Amino acid sequence: MSPEPNYTVSDLQKQQFAGIYLLEYMINAPKVFQLMLEDGEEDLESILEWLLVRDLIEIKEEERYAPTQKGRKALEKFMARYSDFLSFFDVFCAVDLGAGEFAFASYYEFQNPEQWKGFLADERWEDLRIAVAAYKGIDPVEIVFMSFLNEGRFGRSETGWEFDLLLGSVWDEILNICNSALHADQLGYEDDQGEVPGEAVLQDVIAQGLNLIEQLHQHGRPYSEQIKHAVSDGPSAATVEAVELLKKRSNDFDNSPTPPKRWQDDWEL
Amino acid sequence: MNSLLQIGVGAFILLVLFSSMRSCSSSSRYGDTYNVSVQQIAGADAASGLDLQAVGSLVKQAKTGEEFERLLNTPSVGVNNLDLDEDGAVDYIKVTEYGSGNVKGFSLTVDLANDQTQEVATIEIEKTADGRTNVQTHGNRNIYGANHYYHSSFGLTDFLLLSWLFNSNRPYYSSPWGYNSYPSYYGRYSPSSYDNYRQRTRNVTSSSTWSSSNTSTVSSTATSPNAGKTADNIKAPLKSPTSSQKSFQARNPSKTVRSGGFGRTSTSTSSPSVKRTTSSSFRSGGK
C-alpha cells in the first residue's frame, strides 16, 4: 500500500499557471494591460514581469504589454493539452466501479442537457480523472487548473481576482480536489477469485474508456454542440481556442503509464 | 472568411514592411514580433466589438430609446464595432425597451438573418429611493462569458437626464428595423482596429466610473423579451468556452468505493458500447 497522495503547488508552478492565465486573457479576451497598471491590477505586476523576462510578452510603444509569438506558442501548447483533457479525460469523470459502466455510454439517451447533468450527479458514479492522470504521469493539479480556468472559476470580473490568481484560496480548493480524489490503490479489491490490484482496475478502466471514446467519436463527440456554438469554421488570426484543436486532434492516448510527448514537459516556458 | 483572409494578407504585408523597417530603427525594448494578434483585428473576437462600459455611458446621452439606438449605430460615435458574422461590416444593433416600476431596461440585439437574432447585452437602470440611478450592463453569456456585469451609479444630474425613461405615459421603444432593413443614418462600414476602437471607447467612458462584478446588483424581476435568443450563424469566436461535462469537486471521504466491475479479464471483454435512443436528442453529433 503506497502512501496517500499529497499534492502541492509550488510558488513557481503558481507563477507558471498564472502566467498562462494572463496570456489567455491577453490573447483571447483580448485584454490590454497598460504599463502603468490600473487600480486593482497591481497584484498582477509580478506575473507580468515573469512573463516579460521570458519573452512571452513584450512592451509595445512604451505604454502597454502585448503577447509575443513565444507567448502564443505557450498558450497553444496549453490549449492543446486542454483539448486532450476534454477528448480523453472527460469520459472518466463518471464511472461505476461496481457495475463496470461509464456514464458516457448513455450520453445519447438523454433528451436535454439538464437530464444529462442529473444523470451525471448520481451517487454511483466515481470521478476517476485524477487517478487516470496520476497513472499516466500527468500532474493532476494541471488538469484541475485547466478545468477551473475554462469554467471561469478564477474569475475576472469580481473584485480581487488579481490577488486570488497567486494567493487566493482557489489553490487550496484545487489541492483539496486532488488530495481527496480516488487514487489507484483505493481501487483494488478481493473477491472469491482472489485479489485484484488497483492498478489492474485502473488499466481496465482506461482500456474500456478508450474504446468508448472511439465510439463516441464515431457517433459525434459530446462536444459537438459546444464546438458549434464556440467557433466558426476556422480559428481567427488572434485567438487560440482549445475547441479548434479539439476538432482536429486524433486521440493518441493509450493505457500505458506514460503520457503523450506533448504532456512530458514541466512548463519550462 | 474572405474578409479575414484579406486582413490576414494585409497584416502579413504590413508585417514584412515593418520587419524590414526594424533594421533601420528600433524603438522597442523588446524585439517586435510577427504577431498579428497584437494588432487585434476587429471582429476576431465577438466580445471585443462592443465595450459594455461605453454602451452604458451612452444611455446618459439619449432622450429616447430611438435616440439611444441611433447613438449606438452612428459611426462617428464609434461605440459599436461588432461584426458577429464576420462579413466585414459592423452589425446594426437594435434596441428594445422593457421593464416596469423602478427598473427599466434595454435589450440589445443583432439580426444576422431574417430568422437569426442574437441578444448581445442588456442594460438595466434602477431608480433608487435616495435619488440616484444605478445602471448595470450585462453581457450575453455566449459572447462575453458567464456573469459579465458592469455597474455604475449616476448622480442627480444624470438622474434628471434619464427622467424620460421613467415616464409611464409613453410607449416603450421597440426597434422597427431588422435584417437588411436599416435607417438612413446607418451605412455599411468596416470595423476599426482594436487599438482605435479602444481609444474611442475610452473617450466615451471618461465621464463615468464603472466597476465590474460577477453578480447582478439590480433588484429587478424584469426579464428581457429577447432573453435566450441566439443566432447560429455567428462566426466571430465566442467567449463561452468549451467546458468539461462535469466540474471537479472534492470527493466525500466517507463514500464507499464500489468494486467488482473492472479489473478481471472476464469483465474486460465486455467493452462498453454507446446506447442510442430512437427519438431525437439534444445532441448535434451523430445524426
Side-chain angles (χ1 to χ4, degrees), chain A residues 28 58 111 117 191 219 226 243, chain B residues 31 45 242 245 264 280 286:
Chain A
N28 283 353
E58 61 186 333
Q111 301 306 301
K117 293 290 181 192
D191 59 14
H219 283 76
Q226 291 190 52
V243 281
Chain B
D45 176 293
T242 305
Q245 299 286 324
R264 292 258 181 237
S280 64

Side-chain angles (χ1 to χ4, degrees), chain A residues 28 58 69 90 96-97 105 107 111 116-117 123 126 150 157 189 191 194 204 215 219 226 229 232 243, chain B residues 31 34 45 212 235 238-239 241-245 251 255 258 261-264 268 272 275 280 283 286:
Chain A
N28 283 353
E58 61 186 333
Q69 181 181 359
D90 232 24
D96 185 333
L97 290 164
Y107 183 77
Q111 301 306 301
W116 166 243
K117 293 290 181 192
E123 273 291 300
E126 289 284 4
N150 281 279
S157 54
Y189 62 94
D191 59 14
D204 191 14
Q215 291 183 59
H219 283 76
Q226 291 190 52
H229 289 294
S232 61
V243 281
Chain B
Y34 84 103
D45 176 293
S212 58
K235 290 189 175 179
L238 304 176
K239 282 293 107 194
T242 305
S243 59
S244 164
Q245 299 286 324
R251 186 178 183 276
K255 184 179 172 184
R258 286 154 54 86
F262 293 97
R264 292 258 181 237
S268 303
K275 302 163 193 168
S280 64
R283 320 295 179 191

Side-chain angles (χ1 to χ4, degrees), chain B residues 82-157:
Chain B
L82 206 59
D83 182 12
L84 292 178
D85 54 1
E86 291 188 345
D87 64 348
V90 171
D91 301 321
Y92 186 84
I93 298 175
K94 295 164 58 178
V95 170
T96 308
E97 277 187 69
Y98 67 95
S100 60
N102 288 339
V103 179
K104 297 294 170 69
F106 297 108
S107 165
L108 311 187
T109 58
V110 169
D111 286 353
L112 295 176
N114 284 325
D115 59 345
Q116 295 288 335
T117 298
Q118 173 69 48
E119 183 170 65
V120 178
T122 59
I123 305 156
E124 294 189 344
I125 300 102
E126 182 176 39
K127 190 168 60 174
T128 63
D130 60 358
R132 294 189 69 79
T133 309
N134 292 326
V135 182
Q136 170 180 284
T137 65
H138 182 201
N140 176 273
R141 180 191 176 94
N142 289 340
I143 295 175
Y144 292 89
N147 302 318
H148 188 98
Y149 293 92
Y150 284 110
H151 308 281
S152 185
S153 182
F154 292 174
L156 184 61
T157 309

Side-chain angles (χ1 to χ4, degrees), chain A residues 26 28-30 32 34 38 52 55 58-60 62 64 66-69 72 82 85-86 90 93 95-102 104-113 116-117 120 123-127 129-130 143-144 147-148 150-151 153 157-158 176-177 180-182 186 189 191 193-196 200-201 204-205 208 211-212 215-216 219-220 222-226 229-230 232-233 236-239 241 243 246, chain B residues 1 4 7-8 18 27-41 43-48 86 141-142 146-150 194-195 198-199 202 211-215 230-232 234-253 255-287:
Chain A
M26 292 169 78
N28 283 353
V32 177
Q34 300 298 316
E38 294 173 9
L52 197 61
D55 292 330
E58 61 186 333
I59 294 170
K60 284 277 185 178
E62 298 180 355
R64 61 190 167 90
T68 61
Q69 181 181 359
R72 286 183 64 81
Y82 183 64
F85 167 74
L86 291 174
D90 232 24
C93 77
V95 181
D96 185 333
L97 290 164
E101 292 176 6
F102 291 80
F104 269 81
S106 303
Y107 183 77
Y108 287 103
E109 289 188 305
F110 293 91
Q111 301 306 301
N112 61 60
W116 166 243
K117 293 290 181 192
L120 279 182
E123 273 291 300
R124 72 187 176 111
W125 305 119
E126 289 284 4
D127 188 343
R129 288 175 295 183
I130 302 285
I143 67 166
V144 179
S147 201
F148 270 40
N150 281 279
E151 290 171 10
R153 285 163 80 171
S157 54
E158 65 271 27
N176 187 30
I177 285 166
S180 66
L182 285 178
Q186 291 173 282
Y189 62 94
D191 59 14
Q193 296 178 61
E195 190 180 345
V196 179
V201 171
D204 191 14
V205 166
Q208 293 195 44
N211 182 286
L212 182 58
Q215 291 183 59
L216 287 166
H219 283 76
Y223 299 98
S224 305
E225 192 67 26
Q226 291 190 52
H229 289 294
S232 61
D233 54 349
S236 73
T239 58
E241 299 282 346
V243 281
L246 187 62
Chain B
M1 288 307 288
L4 262 184
I7 292 168
F18 194 58
S27 59
S28 176
R29 177 178 156 189
Y30 292 84
D32 288 299
T33 70
Y34 84 103
N35 201 338
V36 178
S37 74
V38 171
Q39 300 181 38
Q40 302 302 357
I41 298 165
D45 176 293
S48 66
E86 291 188 345
R141 180 191 176 94
N142 289 340
N147 302 318
H148 188 98
Y149 293 92
Y150 284 110
Y194 175 77
D195 286 347
R198 194 166 182 277
Q199 185 57 51
R202 208 182 280 152
S211 58
S212 58
S213 82
N214 61 355
T215 54
T230 55
D232 60 18
I234 291 176
K235 290 189 175 179
L238 304 176
K239 282 293 107 194
S240 183
T242 305
S243 59
S244 164
Q245 299 286 324
K246 190 174 183 180
S247 297
F248 279 104
Q249 291 177 321
R251 186 178 183 276
N252 179 353
K255 184 179 172 184
T256 306
V257 182
R258 286 154 54 86
S259 63
F262 293 97
R264 292 258 181 237
T265 311
S266 56
T267 59
S268 303
T269 54
S270 57
S271 290
S273 59
V274 174
K275 302 163 193 168
R276 299 296 301 264
T277 56
T278 50
S279 57
S280 64
S281 76
F282 71 98
R283 320 295 179 191
S284 64
K287 296 293 175 199

